[in-house]
Amino acid sequence: MLVFLPGEGEIRRVSAALDIAGAEIMPLYGALGAAAQRGALSPPGKARRIVLATSIAETSLTIPGVRVVVDCGRARRARFDPGSGMSRLVTERVSRAEAAQRRGRAGRIAPGICYRMWARAEEGALPAFAPPEIAIADLAAFALELAAWGAAPGDLALLTPPPEAAFAEARVLLAGLGALDGAGRITEHGRAMAGVPAHPRLAHMLLRAGPDAAPLAALLEDRDPLRGAGSDLSARLAALRDPARAPAEARPSLERIRAEAARLRRIAAKGEASAGPLSPGAMAALAYPDRIAARRPCDAPRYVMSGGRGAALPEGDPLSAAPYLVATDLGGKPREAAIRLALPITEAEIRTVFAGRITAAETVSWSAREGRVKATLTEHLGAITLSERPLENPASDLIARAALEGLRAEGLFWTQKARLLRARIALLEDGPDVSDAALLADGEWLLPYLGTARRRADLRALDLTQPLLALLGWEGQQRLDRLAPAHFVTPLGRRVPIDYDAETPSIELRLQELFGVTRHPKAGRARLRITLLSPGGKPVAVTSDLPGFWAGSYADVRKDMRGRYPRHPWPEDPTEAPPTLRAKPRGT
């Protein structure tokens, strides 16, 4: 019996669950030792044999004596995610072509039977064929080979062209490894990498770190020999040095990795290592410059990687206290991947290995928590911050922009004088929008006045009058004074302040001072609200239509006021009378 299962883990679980007397239970998967694989492929004896296999048994191997096939209908494939730059093993439904191939194993040498673990009605939903490898694989090696040829994918007669996003991601990686120059052409280092029979990441590491990196390269190239032993790759390197101390089931894998390490060591010895003696973490950083991870300032072991992605260790993992890691195996969500395997690295090692890539930047920003402009000098490697220290003398334009951030967070502070000016500007028919939201949305007009503002108190003390006038410009100010003046000039030449705080701009003055005025005064688009005062300074009427007042209510006011203030003029037609503030001499 041949049983198709997705992977090694399922094979182990099914094997442990089977208890069939007199039957041989034999696993078969790619990482299995050579002797165990030969046993599964040898002719069966008298006992019944159950072979638990991955899709490796679909076409490439002939298993003698198979009469029964059990197909679980699942396959495990490595899929590359261009957004995260990570390849992940994904368990998927088999295609109809794969299912037919598996069924054929039951009748290859004699009549047989195939049991499929799904309903016939489900077959219509299965894809016709498995996706071509070029559509789902890591394309870094392919991109390097094309660069060495001086070709592009479009130059080749490929049955399936590579996905553009995945191919572009591969070229970004190669540029980060120094295999491609700024124009996308292969470098001498890239040609040397193409000659190393390993993934470009590992080829770069072997060429830079030399033969000492061979054990780590062989380990990274293979499956994890110590599954469930935590995330620290150091334990795997120790087991590789002394397999006798490793669990018995891991020793075949370790011996295979040791043999590969010896082969890679010979290859690396032919090159010229450019880096000095490096720790395993520093070597891994050469292979994974985009996966150098800095711990976030929080209790949970969460990290940000130099490539910009997030990552996290399981709670309680021995590596969780490390401030810096190199993540060599990731899984889970692309936005915040689970770190499955990693090595610690120190800040000093990062600075040594990547000295040419570390950038310094002056950061001047508003701290809402501290209520002040905060100026720092930060050093970055990609998306991670290596250091941050106070910046003593930041440029005034950077301070101004940070203070503008503060104003946007705190809101504008208005003095009485500035508030009056804003109210006048708001009355202009085609004037600028002077609402808080509009003024802060485009804050360039404020920057010249914020170069020395460091704290919240400085923002509160800022008088916006001058910035608003500058926003208007000279012509705008002249127009404002003409259409929405700060004062109303009476017929007698007296300047009366206009109150713009109210909903409607308002003035107060003695009634007699407006004699002869036949057109109602305006401020911008709004009519002035006029409070008319008696000679004693008491309000006698309020109007927004002076001609209408003269023609109507004035007669009643005149009748009432003549007796109280007989020495002041109360003409029957105020529109024809001259304005005055004087009373008649006594006795006249």
Side-chain angles (χ1 to χ4, degrees):
M1 179 182 291
L2 173 61
V3 181
F4 283 100
L5 295 165
E8 180 183 345
E10 290 82 359
I11 288 173
R12 290 183 182 276
R13 288 194 293 273
V14 172
S15 177
L18 289 175
D19 184 13
I20 302 175
E24 296 178 311
I25 311 298
M26 291 191 164
L28 182 61
Y29 50 89
L32 194 67
Q37 289 193 27
R38 285 194 297 270
L41 299 175
S42 64
K46 294 182 179 180
R48 298 185 68 187
R49 176 178 292 179
I50 301 175
V51 178
L52 307 176
T54 62
S55 56
I56 191 176
E58 282 177 15
T59 57
S60 59
L61 301 172
T62 297
I63 302 175
V66 173
R67 298 292 186 273
V68 177
V69 167
V70 178
D71 185 2
C72 76
R74 296 290 188 272
R76 187 159 293 144
R77 318 183 203 280
R79 283 191 175 272
F80 182 69
D81 178 6
S84 65
M86 307 170 192
S87 288
R88 295 185 294 155
L89 287 174
V90 179
T91 302
E92 300 177 331
R93 298 288 299 272
V94 295
S95 66
R96 294 195 295 273
E98 290 171 307
Q101 191 72 30
R102 291 179 177 187
R103 182 174 61 179
R105 311 303 286 183
R108 186 161 186 175
I109 58 176
I113 187 169
C114 175
Y115 296 98
R116 288 176 167 174
M117 297 179 66
W118 64 87
R120 185 182 296 275
E122 296 180 62
E123 292 188 12
L126 297 178
F129 299 95
E133 183 180 0
I134 197 171
I136 61 175
D138 182 347
L139 299 180
F142 175 63
L144 181 61
E145 194 72 20
L146 286 187
W149 295 346
D155 300 330
L156 306 180
L158 300 171
L159 291 176
T160 303
E164 291 184 7
F167 189 76
E169 187 72 22
R171 288 180 63 83
V172 169
L173 171 63
L174 294 176
L177 297 174
L180 302 180
D181 62 18
R185 296 183 296 265
I186 193 166
T187 62
E188 287 302 317
H189 179 59
R191 293 193 181 280
M193 286 170 56
V196 177
H199 188 281
R201 289 184 184 272
L202 305 181
H204 171 69
M205 179 180 72
L206 287 166
L207 292 173
R208 288 287 187 253
D212 289 345
L216 179 58
L219 191 61
L220 294 174
E221 207 170 28
D222 211 302
R223 294 187 178 186
D224 181 11
L226 300 180
R227 294 189 179 182
S231 64
D232 193 350
L233 259 177
S234 302
R236 281 76 175 170
L237 289 169
L240 205 57
R241 288 191 294 270
D242 188 3
R245 301 180 64 178
E249 62 271 17
R251 291 171 192 168
S253 296
L254 290 170
E255 290 301 332
R256 182 180 66 252
I257 295 171
R258 282 167 63 89
E260 176 65 9
R263 184 182 75 91
L264 293 176
R265 187 183 294 275
R266 291 191 295 272
I267 294 171
K270 298 176 184 179
E272 294 184 5
S274 58
L278 300 175
S279 71
M283 293 178 187
L286 288 170
Y288 296 95
D290 53 331
R291 297 188 191 174
I292 300 170
R295 202 178 195 282
R296 297 182 188 271
C298 60
D299 294 335
R302 301 174 61 219
Y303 290 79
V304 60
M305 295 188 291
S306 50
R309 303 286 173 175
L313 281 170
E315 293 282 354
D317 189 281
L319 282 180
S320 60
Y324 296 99
L325 297 173
V326 181
T328 62
D329 189 16
L330 297 161
K333 298 178 181 179
R335 178 169 290 184
E336 184 167 74
I339 299 176
R340 291 196 287 243
L341 291 173
L343 282 165
I345 186 173
T346 66
E347 181 184 331
E349 289 174 324
I350 293 173
R351 291 182 178 278
T352 299
V353 175
F354 297 101
R357 296 194 190 183
I358 296 173
T359 59
E362 295 183 0
T363 304
V364 184
S365 60
W366 177 261
S367 171
R369 184 176 62 84
E370 300 177 32
R372 67 180 181 89
V373 172
K374 190 174 181 181
T376 55
L377 179 64
T378 55
E379 291 180 296
H380 298 276
L381 177 64
I384 65 175
T385 300
L386 296 176
S387 70
E388 182 177 289
R389 60 179 184 272
L391 182 62
E392 296 300 329
N393 295 303
S396 60
D397 61 322
L398 296 179
I399 294 176
R401 292 196 174 276
L404 179 58
E405 290 178 30
L407 278 177
R408 285 172 174 156
E410 303 280 337
L412 293 172
F413 302 97
W414 294 95
T415 62
Q416 178 64 25
K417 187 178 179 182
R419 186 181 292 109
L420 171 64
L421 177 59
R422 176 166 73 158
R424 293 170 59 201
I425 297 172
L427 292 173
L428 296 178
E429 289 190 6
D430 55 352
D433 185 348
V434 286
S435 65
D436 282 28
L439 290 173
L440 290 173
D442 179 17
E444 296 292 324
W445 62 284
L446 266 174
L447 293 178
Y449 305 91
L450 294 174
T452 59
R454 293 295 194 105
R455 293 173 175 77
R456 185 179 286 118
D458 298 332
L459 300 182
R460 291 181 181 276
L462 177 66
D463 185 354
L464 297 175
T465 304
Q466 193 57 42
L468 282 175
L469 290 173
L471 178 64
L472 286 176
W474 186 85
E475 290 186 1
Q477 292 177 39
Q478 300 303 307
R479 185 167 170 273
L480 177 67
D481 288 340
R482 186 173 66 254
L483 299 178
H487 297 81
F488 170 69
V489 180
T490 72
L492 296 176
R494 196 167 66 89
R495 293 164 60 86
V496 177
I498 300 175
D499 181 6
Y500 286 94
D501 280 342
E503 184 176 344
T504 302
S506 306
I507 58 173
E508 291 185 355
L509 73 168
R510 288 188 25 198
L511 182 148
Q512 282 81 2
E513 199 170 0
L514 288 176
F515 284 166
V517 178
T518 57
R519 180 179 295 177
H520 193 91
K522 295 176 66 175
R525 293 166 289 179
R527 287 169 167 262
L528 286 177
R529 183 175 180 270
I530 305 174
T531 300
L532 297 167
L533 306 177
S534 70
K538 302 294 185 181
V540 295
V542 178
T543 183
S544 294
D545 179 10
L546 189 59
F549 171 75
W550 293 142
S553 302
Y554 171 72
D556 294 331
V557 172
R558 175 175 179 270
K559 185 185 299 183
D560 184 48
M561 290 291 108
R562 285 179 67 192
R564 295 188 186 184
Y565 301 98
R567 295 179 54 235
H568 292 267
W570 300 99
E572 290 187 11
D573 185 0
T575 62
E576 296 294 335
T580 182
L581 288 176
R582 295 185 178 185
K584 300 175 184 178
R586 290 186 182 274
T588 62

